[in-house]
Amino acid sequence: MTVPKRTLLVTTPIYYVNDLPHVGHAYTTIAADTLTRARRLARHDVFFLTGTDEHGQNIERIAREKGITEQEHCDRISAAFRALWERYDIRYDRFIRTTEDVHRRGVLKLWERLRSAKAPDGRDAVYLGKYSGWYCPRCEGFKDEEELRQPGNVCPDHERSCEWTEEENFFFRLSAYEGWLRETIEGDRLLIRPESRKNEILGVVKQGLKDFSVSRARVKWGIPVPEQPDHVLYVWVDALSNYVTALGFADDGEAYRRYWAGGDERLHLIGKDIIRFHCLYWPAILEAAGVLPPNREFAQGFITRDGRKLSKTTGNVIDPIALVERLGPDAARYFLLREAPYGADWDFTDSAFVARYNADLANDLGNLVSRALTMAARYGEGKVPARGEPPVARGGTPGGDVDFTETFAASVCAPNDGLAARVLGRYEEIDFSGALTELWSWVGQFNQAIVQVQPWSLAKDPQRRAELDAFLYRLIEGVRLVAVLVAPVMPRASSRIFGMLGLGEREPSPDDLAWGRLAPGAPLGTIAPLFPRVDKTTDQKETPVSETTPPAAATPLTPASAATADRIDIAEFARVELRAAKVIAAEKVSGSKRLVKLQVDLGTESRQLVAGIAESYDPAALVGKTVVVVANLKPANLMGVESNGMVLAAAIDGKAVLCTFDAEVAPGTKVK
Ligand code: MSP
């Protein structure tokens, strides 16, 4: 492809280390990794930056609660992020931590510049002022009174009371940058996408921008303000600076000069929750400091579950570890990027994940790769077939109307409008689902071509050998190109397809985008299933990913690591089949004080169980209760009575207390 080589920076937000990584973090990081890989395929020089945001009051509080130092806490959680990125095949160039010395030095350099900077109105860009207002320690930010819920001045995001705060702070004169920001954003010198987010931000500017305070008293865990050592720099100023400090801003380092000061694009991928900080505060701070501002920002949508915000408090979380372990990193990456346009909000469901895996990966792509390669290997004695002449002319038989002539090659690889250019163009627009949809339309056409051309019929006629070879050559070249173009999203599958094509399991390079790189006569590799189908009824691994699982095994997260050593993982737990069961009949087991024989309705069957609860429950009182049973226990014989399952109960002072539900639940419902 002949596009001029550009020098590009791609960043994710740096993530708070308040808690373990969640799926929203994985979503942005996968997007950044995919975009980086796609841009490298288009021959650009790309630097991919991510990291962790480690200062602030929340960290002080959490460390205190855990009885460890702030640094120890940050080290653990930051390591959990890196361990997770490894599982997702994320390949960043730099992982910045705001507790690094090079970051502190960079922030102080920026601060020094801001202290002597003049705003567009000629006044000091930073000034000392008095702040009074409602402060939410969880947001690490001040809230307008109208935003708070009454009574109690409650922060709507964190359901906690805000604190009335009065302090002398340094302020940044954002109000003086209103005109500059409007022009920069309206004129797309800072390109904000999706368009709706650009309009949202312009709306905020229109309402009038307030100066914001950039130092904080009472917070200790941060970078002290040189002029006011009992204050630290506001966590957002500290955090945003990472984008330049990580590149070596403090010492005017090589990466800073190349990818920031001298780069063509400074792109921040962010969430829609932090657009004000990134699209208003950050560009204005840099403009004041005489540093180039970012020139592109893309705000991703939010993932919800059952239409609700992901939240630990309500229990609807999607565990990124369970997600990657369920069907592997490629499938997780593919699903997150394919299921919805990147800028839109969308709802995650386990069933959509499995359905898409089976339909798109096992069926469409997996079948194409295995059918194309099996036929090429079978009819060509394990070697790449001859290129030959156009096999079946348009409209000819038995090829139907599939055009597999040279125009096919041309249309796949045409420099401006071919498949490769279109897919790379979609990636470049940060339209991952568009890139994959485009690619899958080709996967579909290749599959259809196999059915129409019927290579197995051609193979029966020795006269048509050349046509067969030429068709198969084009088919596996097409497969090779799909592998190249899907690599940014699914690097493992791509390299496995390369292996099967006899090219060695490796990452594709920009040269691999050219048509005709398979050498006729070269040996093909070993064919192996790419994405084995998941059968919902027999799948042992059918683990919902919406459960919270223990943290990344590689990273002990509590000081008492021994306490977590014998924990089980979610897959082990998933082997236990818990179901709601309604008691239909109950009677004492004769000769036993403790045992009661139960007949329960399990939705699809009725079962006999024996439970040791007779001393706590009168059998008659049990009838009609809905309890929780372990439904897949091996049968046991208790005092001559067969038991097919176990009823769950707690033991309080030797008395059994049954596990029941606090709302109506149908018999047979799975409990997880
Ligand atoms: N530390 C700040 C960012 C500083 S950047 C200079 C922060 N961190 S965060 O840990 O809260 O991560 C925020 C980002 O995570 C969001 O902007 C978004 O990219 C991502 N997501 C968090 N929850 C999300 C969803 N439920 N869905 C999609 N992405 C979400 O803010």
Side-chain angles (χ1 to χ4, degrees):
M1 310 215 57
T2 50
V3 274
K5 178 171 173 160
R6 298 191 305 146
T7 305
L8 310 163
L9 173 70
V10 178
T11 70
T12 72
I14 48 169
Y15 304 114
Y16 285 136
V17 290
N18 300 357
D19 211 337
L20 291 168
H22 67 71
V23 75
H25 302 143
Y27 190 34
T28 332
T29 313
I30 290 167
D33 185 65
T34 298
L35 182 63
T36 300
R37 291 172 187 263
R39 293 176 140 195
R40 288 195 177 128
L41 260 187
R43 294 190 194 279
H44 298 306
D45 174 9
V46 196
F47 192 96
F48 167 17
L49 169 66
T50 188
T52 40
D53 186 353
E54 306 188 359
H55 284 139
Q57 222 171 348
N58 284 326
I59 305 303
E60 282 174 21
R61 179 183 46 81
I62 295 165
R64 203 179 322 118
E65 282 166 10
K66 286 192 171 168
I68 55 175
T69 65
E70 286 92 350
Q71 191 63 57
E72 275 172 327
H73 170 76
C74 293
D75 290 350
R76 287 176 189 164
I77 304 283
S78 181
F81 273 93
R82 278 171 309 212
L84 185 68
W85 299 157
E86 202 163 325
R87 288 161 108 138
Y88 273 95
D89 290 333
I90 303 291
R91 227 172 29 199
Y92 46 77
D93 296 293
R94 171 84 160 93
F95 188 100
I96 175 84
R97 301 182 55 191
T98 53
T99 48
E100 286 176 41
D101 188 56
V102 72
H103 173 72
R104 189 186 55 81
R105 289 194 295 111
V107 172
L108 291 177
K109 180 171 169 181
L110 201 63
W111 176 249
E112 224 170 84
R113 293 212 187 168
L114 289 175
R115 289 288 284 130
S116 55
K118 293 287 176 215
D121 61 4
R123 294 190 289 168
D124 288 346
V126 165
Y127 62 94
L128 208 50
K130 184 143 186 191
Y131 194 92
S132 50
W134 293 105
Y135 184 74
C136 170
R138 292 292 166 93
C139 293
E140 310 248 16
F142 286 96
K143 299 263 152 190
D144 288 337
E145 193 142 7
E146 312 82 76
E147 290 179 65
L148 305 179
R149 273 218 312 267
Q150 302 300 347
N153 300 305
V154 174
C155 164
D157 296 330
H158 293 99
E159 310 279 338
R160 296 181 138 249
S161 283
C162 292
E163 299 158 10
W164 180 255
T165 307
E166 285 186 19
E167 56 188 46
E168 190 167 62
N169 279 338
F170 280 105
F171 280 76
F172 179 78
R173 204 179 298 280
L174 187 67
S175 54
Y177 289 84
E178 239 173 71
W180 178 80
L181 281 165
R182 188 181 308 110
E183 280 167 31
T184 306
I185 295 166
E186 268 174 358
D188 288 340
R189 270 182 288 131
L190 170 57
L191 181 73
I192 302 172
R193 287 289 179 272
E195 190 92 28
S196 56
R197 300 288 167 214
K198 170 179 169 178
N199 296 334
E200 185 182 326
I201 279 293
L202 285 171
V204 174
V205 177
K206 211 165 163 192
Q207 278 175 11
L209 297 177
K210 284 196 212 140
D211 298 348
F212 62 94
S213 67
V214 288
S215 62
R216 287 280 182 278
R218 296 173 311 126
V219 184
K220 300 271 163 298
W221 184 242
I223 300 176
V225 180
E227 297 85 344
Q228 245 180 349
D230 55 332
H231 281 47
V232 295
L233 281 166
Y234 176 34
V235 72
W236 271 99
V237 174
D238 177 341
L240 289 161
S241 310
N242 94 84
Y243 298 130
V244 292
T245 63
L247 301 172
F249 175 69
D251 310 306
D252 202 24
E254 140 83 18
Y256 172 72
R257 277 181 282 122
R258 177 150 147 203
Y259 294 100
W260 194 277
D264 295 303
E265 192 177 276
R266 296 167 296 283
L267 163 68
H268 300 314
L269 296 186
I270 53 178
K272 63 174 185 176
D273 51 334
I274 53 178
I275 52 176
R276 283 182 194 211
F277 298 107
H278 281 82
C279 302
L280 301 174
Y281 290 23
W282 177 229
I285 287 174
L286 290 175
E287 171 70 4
V291 176
L292 271 179
N295 53 8
R296 191 175 176 195
E297 312 223 16
F298 195 104
Q300 75 182 23
F302 262 48
I303 304 175
T304 54
R305 213 186 146 74
D306 307 321
R308 284 181 309 148
K309 218 172 130 179
L310 304 179
S311 151
K312 274 215 168 146
T313 341
T314 55
N316 68 329
V317 290
I318 302 163
D319 177 24
I321 302 172
L323 179 66
V324 73
E325 278 175 0
R326 174 81 170 87
L327 297 164
D330 277 353
R333 290 169 65 114
Y334 176 84
F335 180 68
L336 290 176
L337 296 184
R338 174 70 193 259
E339 189 62 3
Y342 185 58
D345 293 342
W346 60 285
D347 204 50
F348 181 100
T349 62
D350 294 313
S351 54
F353 181 32
V354 174
R356 223 175 231 298
Y357 172 89
N358 277 336
D360 298 5
L361 301 183
N363 242 18
D364 296 345
L365 182 62
N367 277 348
L368 170 66
V369 171
S370 94
R371 287 202 291 172
L373 277 147
T374 307
M375 286 189 295
R378 179 179 310 147
Y379 301 131
E381 278 115 45
K383 301 202 180 80
V384 175
R387 236 176 258 238
E389 281 307 304
V392 184
R394 189 181 275 274
T397 48
D401 57 2
V402 176
D403 182 7
F404 253 69
T405 65
E406 285 306 316
T407 48
F408 166 76
S411 68
V412 174
C413 288
N416 298 317
D417 194 32
L419 171 70
R422 285 209 302 278
V423 173
L424 291 180
R426 292 284 99 225
Y427 281 132
E428 187 47 41
E429 291 296 310
I430 317 187
D431 174 10
F432 304 110
S433 57
L436 292 168
T437 306
E438 188 87 54
L439 208 44
W440 253 250
S441 86
W442 281 84
V443 170
Q445 287 182 50
F446 293 154
N447 274 325
Q448 199 190 347
I450 296 173
V451 177
Q452 288 180 329
V453 173
Q454 298 177 12
W456 48 92
S457 311
L458 293 180
K460 287 186 195 138
D461 183 352
Q463 306 273 324
R464 306 192 74 178
R465 177 76 209 189
E467 284 176 49
L468 174 67
D469 282 349
F471 172 75
L472 291 175
Y473 183 85
R474 280 159 184 74
L475 189 64
I476 59 173
E477 254 300 285
V479 166
R480 191 187 62 79
L481 268 162
V482 169
V484 175
L485 291 166
V486 88
V489 179
M490 299 197 289
R492 288 193 189 191
S494 165
S495 103
R496 288 189 56 213
I497 299 173
F498 262 54
M500 293 186 226
L501 286 164
L503 300 169
E505 291 204 358
R506 65 170 173 85
E507 191 178 337
S509 78
D511 290 343
D512 290 314
L513 284 166
W515 177 260
R517 305 257 306 168
L518 281 171
L524 291 166
T526 311
I527 305 164
L530 201 56
F531 293 108
R533 239 190 118 71
V534 176
D535 183 344
K536 284 220 84 175
T537 53
T538 57
D539 176 28
Q540 285 300 309
K541 293 199 302 180
E542 196 190 325
T543 310
V545 295
S546 49
E547 301 284 345
T548 323
T549 62
T555 320
L557 287 155
T558 64
S561 57
T564 60
D566 52 3
R567 289 189 190 177
I568 61 166
D569 66 21
I570 189 84
E572 281 172 84
F573 170 71
R575 296 189 58 212
V576 181
E577 191 187 330
L578 297 176
R579 291 199 183 272
K582 190 164 186 169
V583 180
I584 311 164
E587 61 179 273
K588 279 196 151 197
V589 172
S590 63
S592 166
K593 272 203 328 208
R594 258 179 7 95
L595 298 181
V596 54
K597 184 168 87 176
L598 304 171
Q599 300 298 331
V600 298
D601 175 6
L602 260 184
T604 48
E605 58 175 306
S606 95
R607 286 263 188 106
Q608 175 175 297
L609 317 173
V610 177
I613 54 173
E615 287 168 316
S616 317
Y617 290 90
D618 178 28
L622 288 168
V623 176
K625 272 192 190 302
T626 302
V627 294
V628 180
V629 302
V630 181
N632 61 341
L633 264 192
K634 288 187 176 146
N637 199 298
L638 302 170
M639 295 199 59
V641 184
E642 186 170 290
S643 179
N644 279 292
M646 187 173 92
V647 179
L648 295 192
I652 310 281
D653 296 332
K655 289 244 166 202
V657 180
L658 281 173
C659 224
T660 55
F661 297 92
D662 69 356
E664 188 82 6
V665 171
T669 304
K670 200 164 175 182
V671 180
K672 46 192 189 175

